[in-house]
Amino acid sequence: MYKTKVIAGVDIGTSKVTVLLGEIHEDRKLNVIGLGQSSSKGMLKGEIADYYLASDCVHAAILTAESQAGVSIDGVYLAQTGGHIEGFPSEASVNITSSDGRVQAEDVEQACSLAQGRELPENRTTIHHLRRPYKLDGRSVESPVGMEGERLEVGYWTVHGDSRKIGDAIHIINGFNLHVDDIVLAGLASSAAVATADQKKSGALIIDIGRGTTDYCLFLDGRCMKAGCLPIGGDHISNDLSIGLRMRLKQAESLKLRYGSAIVEHKDKTEKVWLNNDFEIGDRPIPLWSIEKIIELRMTEIFEVVRKKLGAHYVPEKISSGVILAGGASRLTNIDQCAENVFGIQAHVGDNSAMASGELKDSQYSTALGLLHYGLQYQSEKGYAKHRQSSIFGRLKTLFQKA
Amino acid sequence: MAARNPTPASRRKRKSNTWKDIDQSVKPKAMSSASERRVWFGRAKVACMVLAFVVVVGAALHFAPRIEGGPELLTKAGESMPVAIIDIETDGSLTRDFILDCLSVPEDANLLSVDLDTLKERLESVGQIESAVVSRRFPDALVVTIAERQPIARLLAQRPNGEKLMLFVDQEGEVFEADRLDAKFSRSLPFLDGVALSKKEEGFSRIEEIAPLADLLSEAQAIAPHLYSRWRVVSLEREDRLIAKGPVAKEVVFDRNADFRRQLGKLDYILDYYRSARIGKIESVDLTLGDQVPVRSL
């Protein structure tokens, strides 16, 4: 008989809430069995602005997914984004004290706990400790246990956020009588869906541009070196168009979708497009060059901010797989060229073809799919740990460890 | 293994805040109407499960004493099933009334309380009954199947008080009393002579070496009933010989080891010849000498 478990990924975005339900077979295979979506209300730049409105949207999406799958869930994996997300590097080192000069598991544990132990300011809470490769006497190693050396260094990129804002998101889920099993940074979740392990190994920068936020993750040697979130997204482009061309936000959004381009394609300043395209009162011609210029400036700014945030970690030579774009705003025409202009490396719009097929290949599902990927990974590790624990050697090891 | 140095203060693990410290207990004020419905549904599910558990436990407690006293309760339950029908099947001449008398089943007896072994013993104590099977047919019937002894000859004996006693013998040599035997049938049976009866417990010992006589009588009944019907006495008085006595031929001697069909054929021919030739009555016919058949006339 097959052992199955249902997990759920919930992505509360600025434009929409996406819920995906996945069925895990024997801790290895994942099938997506339910999808629920609802347009977001009460969300601003990835953060909860109206608790009750946001609750209604999230609960409606979960209900839809549950009824589509015909199952009832107990816990979810929740994506976290928003301007309050920050990160800092934390490093620690220990001297190897064993008589034979070889690294023991205790040395690694000590180094890791020291690196993770940095105190956070009040009202800040850790989301991830993203470990970078170990360094043993200056050389990078993946697993130092058993190797000879004098000094072991370990570095983390610690992602933290406002505990009240994270708490709000968790309580929305709790309000539906569900438990949050794990929180995953939205950018990291998207990376799991749009970038393959090989791309991460050869270096990749994943940028997920949503309606209110932009998440980024830099992968080198298969490990996330830096991740963060900017409170800028597709909404800002519409806002710029609205102010710059004097129109309502809805009209600006429509113009962006119809004629938007992330680089100036039409140099002829006399070429115009109609605002509403209905030739009624209020409709007027808008120079196409202006639309494209405003969008280009804003997109360039977004990419430049990301580049600036990456700082010294951004080494174009080490990012062989280039920039991979995801999120709703990545559907903007010529966005890959705009990214190439800013970063100076190749860029392309990613999809979820490595993880999903059909409708789910669209990058708007990247975060939710990535959450399921994390859930699968977590269940596999849990299953493996349980298996080890249940074996005779595992039990003996535990006994000795306790002694 | 050398003992490791105690961990220095600088290497002790420090505590940091993680999102897992956030309390996830549900606060009713923070719930939407959909989630309230879900919570109530969840509570109702739990309540149903508790109720089902209570019902199962209650039922177990209620029925446990009954299960413990199972056999007694089954007997009590049987009181409501009195014996209404007694089905009797026999291969002989015993009447239904006689068998019911033998069974003596009380009128108010219930099906589960009657002792089948006792009923079987009662029936098999009747000499004429060879074996009996008594069984229950639910809900309210007893089924009695009887195999009767088939007598081949009768014996005349005397009781200690001098009273005459009619006995019968079957093909197995069993000697028995048969009060209920059809009178016409019993009169048609020949008397058996030349055997010594001996008492055994409540009956008589079995008569040995009766099988050839049973074969002869069976053959005679089948192929020469006109001869068989005239035999009044059959005797085992002589070794290797069977003697039939009757009014037509006073004594007919058969060879026990020869074919009875041939011997009966010869006897029929001789009697027929004598009748047609009007020679007179026959004193004896000896069929034990093969092709030579000495016949003595009166």
Side-chain angles (χ1 to χ4, degrees):
Chain A
M1 206 170 95
Y2 290 116
K3 259 169 63 180
T4 58
K5 183 177 170 60
V6 176
I7 58 168
V10 178
D11 172 24
I12 309 172
T14 313
S15 63
K16 64 187 180 313
V17 179
T18 306
V19 178
L20 279 182
L21 301 191
E23 191 178 39
I24 298 176
H25 290 267
E26 296 189 318
D27 300 336
R28 275 180 291 143
K29 286 175 273 178
L30 178 76
N31 286 331
V32 177
I33 56 170
L35 164 67
Q37 266 190 321
S38 67
S39 56
S40 275
K41 283 176 189 164
M43 296 292 294
L44 197 64
K45 295 181 185 178
E47 293 170 12
I48 295 155
D50 186 321
Y51 187 87
Y52 288 99
L53 280 178
S55 288
D56 286 345
C57 302
V58 174
H59 298 171
I62 295 174
L63 264 180
T64 310
E66 279 190 332
S67 59
Q68 194 187 63
V71 294
S72 188
I73 52 171
D74 302 318
V76 304
Y77 290 84
L78 179 65
Q80 193 60 55
T81 184
H84 63 99
I85 304 288
E86 286 173 16
F88 61 83
S90 51
E91 288 169 353
S93 61
V94 290
N95 292 324
I96 308 304
T97 54
S98 63
S99 54
D100 59 356
R102 291 182 186 279
V103 179
Q104 307 288 316
E106 289 81 0
D107 296 320
V108 177
E109 200 183 315
Q110 286 293 340
C112 291
S113 79
L114 278 172
Q116 290 177 14
R118 187 168 148 183
E119 296 282 343
L120 290 173
E122 204 181 344
N123 292 330
R124 302 297 293 178
T125 188
T126 313
I127 298 170
H128 290 293
H129 288 292
L130 303 169
R131 188 177 61 73
R132 294 161 175 179
Y134 295 102
K135 282 191 176 172
L136 188 60
D137 296 339
R139 61 194 163 117
S140 283
V141 290
E142 194 53 42
S143 177
V145 177
M147 295 173 84
E148 215 169 302
E150 289 180 352
R151 190 171 177 77
L152 177 70
E153 294 169 64
V154 66
Y156 280 92
W157 180 256
T158 301
V159 182
H160 59 98
D162 190 317
S163 49
R164 290 162 298 192
K165 288 175 180 173
I166 295 171
D168 284 344
I170 289 174
H171 290 143
I172 282 181
I173 301 297
N174 296 155
F176 204 53
N177 205 24
L178 294 173
H179 186 267
V180 175
D181 292 331
D182 205 354
I183 284 183
V184 184
L185 192 67
L188 265 182
S190 299
S191 306
V194 297
T196 62
D198 285 343
Q199 284 172 323
K200 289 176 188 171
K201 190 85 184 162
S202 58
L205 171 63
I206 293 101
I207 302 174
D208 182 336
I209 310 165
R211 188 166 180 175
T213 58
T214 298
D215 299 279
Y216 61 91
C217 283
L218 176 65
F219 284 87
L220 295 175
D221 296 323
R223 294 214 165 258
C224 181
M225 303 302 284
K226 198 162 184 176
C229 182
L230 305 174
I232 324 164
D235 257 1
H236 291 79
I237 300 170
S238 307
N239 201 43
D240 290 350
L241 287 172
S242 166
I243 294 166
L245 300 172
R246 293 191 189 86
M247 62 183 73
R248 282 181 284 122
L249 202 59
K250 211 171 177 182
Q251 289 172 319
E253 181 73 23
S254 170
L255 265 189
K256 181 182 79 177
L257 294 174
R258 280 184 290 149
Y259 307 111
S261 170
I263 56 166
V264 178
E265 271 189 316
H266 302 87
K267 309 274 184 189
D268 183 1
K269 292 185 182 178
T270 58
E271 196 176 339
K272 293 183 179 177
V273 291
W274 287 90
L275 175 60
N276 298 330
N277 215 18
D278 56 4
F279 306 106
E280 287 187 1
I281 297 167
D283 202 6
R284 60 188 165 94
I286 308 282
L288 189 55
W289 178 85
S290 310
I291 298 168
E292 290 178 347
K293 190 65 187 172
I294 290 171
I295 294 173
E296 185 188 44
L297 286 171
R298 179 52 94 171
M299 281 312 305
T300 306
E301 188 199 358
I302 291 173
F303 288 136
E304 278 174 348
V305 174
V306 171
R307 185 172 173 168
K308 196 177 166 190
K309 286 271 181 186
L310 292 173
H313 287 101
Y314 181 72
V315 182
E317 294 76 30
K318 288 186 177 177
I319 307 171
S320 307
S321 296
V323 180
I324 301 171
L325 298 162
S330 66
R331 283 179 283 185
L332 199 63
T333 313
N334 297 319
I335 193 167
D336 46 349
Q337 282 186 39
C338 182
E340 280 177 9
N341 293 342
V342 175
F343 290 101
I345 52 175
Q346 57 154 327
H348 69 274
V349 178
D351 62 19
N352 309 320
S353 50
M355 266 194 83
S357 57
E359 187 195 0
L360 293 175
K361 269 165 75 173
D362 195 300
S363 64
Q364 61 173 314
Y365 302 111
S366 301
T367 308
L369 272 173
L371 289 171
L372 293 186
H373 171 82
Y374 269 87
L376 173 66
Q377 218 172 21
Y378 176 71
Q379 293 296 332
S380 304
E381 282 167 13
K382 208 167 80 171
Y384 176 66
K386 202 174 165 185
H387 171 73
R388 280 192 63 181
Q389 192 71 21
S390 60
S391 71
I392 293 171
F393 291 110
R395 283 183 206 166
L396 282 173
K397 195 180 168 188
T398 313
L399 268 176
F400 280 115
Q401 277 173 350
K402 281 180 184 171
Chain B
M1 204 168 97
R4 292 180 66 84
N5 292 331
T7 311
S10 62
R11 292 183 71 167
R12 268 184 220 135
K13 192 176 178 179
R14 285 189 235 157
K15 265 183 97 176
S16 63
N17 296 332
T18 90
W19 71 268
K20 285 177 183 166
D21 298 331
I22 295 169
D23 182 23
Q24 289 204 45
S25 56
V26 179
K27 295 171 182 65
K29 279 183 183 174
M31 287 164 69
S32 63
S33 54
S35 58
E36 270 176 15
R37 276 199 301 275
R38 187 187 170 93
V39 170
W40 279 111
F41 181 72
R43 284 177 188 162
K45 213 161 77 175
V46 172
C48 286
M49 284 168 71
V50 170
L51 192 68
F53 178 75
V54 169
V55 167
V56 169
V57 170
L61 290 173
H62 181 71
F63 287 110
R66 294 191 182 196
I67 293 164
E68 275 177 18
E72 189 187 336
L73 286 163
L74 278 175
T75 309
K76 281 183 184 170
E79 282 174 3
S80 59
M81 292 188 292
V83 178
I85 303 163
I86 299 179
D87 247 359
I88 295 170
E89 196 179 323
T90 180
D91 60 350
S93 57
L94 289 178
T95 59
R96 179 181 170 82
D97 291 339
F98 174 76
I99 293 167
L100 287 177
D101 280 348
C102 289
L103 288 168
S104 307
V105 178
E107 276 187 20
D108 58 345
N110 72 70
L111 194 64
L112 290 170
S113 65
V114 289
D115 187 350
L116 300 184
D117 289 337
T118 307
L119 297 184
K120 179 180 163 73
E121 276 174 23
R122 277 182 200 161
L123 289 171
E124 289 183 350
S125 67
V126 176
Q128 198 174 329
I129 296 174
E130 188 178 4
S131 66
V133 177
V134 185
S135 58
R136 295 183 181 94
R137 189 177 66 210
F138 287 94
D140 57 359
L142 268 180
V143 179
V144 180
T145 308
I146 290 171
E148 291 184 34
R149 295 185 196 281
Q150 301 298 327
I152 58 168
R154 47 186 168 157
L155 282 165
L156 199 57
Q158 202 169 25
R159 292 189 193 275
N161 57 9
E163 190 185 340
K164 280 185 181 175
L165 174 65
M166 186 66 79
L167 296 173
F168 295 87
V169 60
D170 70 1
Q171 59 187 3
E172 303 291 332
E174 292 290 342
V175 179
F176 57 94
E177 289 182 59
D179 299 338
R180 300 283 162 173
L181 208 58
D182 180 47
K184 193 179 171 187
F185 173 72
S186 70
R187 275 200 302 276
S188 72
L189 294 172
F191 284 99
L192 181 63
D193 190 20
V195 293
L197 273 179
S198 57
K199 288 284 279 180
K200 182 189 159 191
E201 295 172 2
E202 290 183 3
F204 297 90
S205 293
R206 214 168 120 173
I207 296 170
E208 300 297 333
E209 296 180 355
I210 203 166
L213 178 65
D215 288 346
L216 172 64
L217 295 176
S218 170
E219 288 284 358
Q221 267 182 318
I223 64 171
H226 56 287
L227 298 179
Y228 171 79
S229 62
R230 299 290 180 90
W231 292 346
R232 295 284 174 264
V233 178
V234 285
S235 174
L236 296 171
E237 64 197 25
R238 285 165 66 182
E239 200 176 345
D240 292 338
R241 302 282 187 272
L242 295 172
I243 299 168
K245 297 173 182 173
V248 178
K250 274 194 162 180
E251 186 178 273
V252 182
V253 184
F254 292 93
D255 185 347
R256 288 189 190 194
N257 303 316
D259 181 12
F260 289 127
R261 274 179 176 260
R262 286 177 63 87
Q263 293 181 75
L264 285 167
K266 284 178 189 172
L267 176 64
D268 188 37
Y269 175 78
I270 290 164
L271 293 178
D272 201 33
Y273 174 76
Y274 266 68
R275 199 183 312 119
S276 59
R278 300 175 186 275
I279 295 172
K281 285 194 175 177
I282 297 170
E283 174 73 27
S284 71
V285 180
D286 190 350
L287 298 164
T288 61
L289 301 173
D291 291 338
Q292 301 297 316
V293 182
V295 178
R296 199 149 41 120
S297 312
L298 284 174

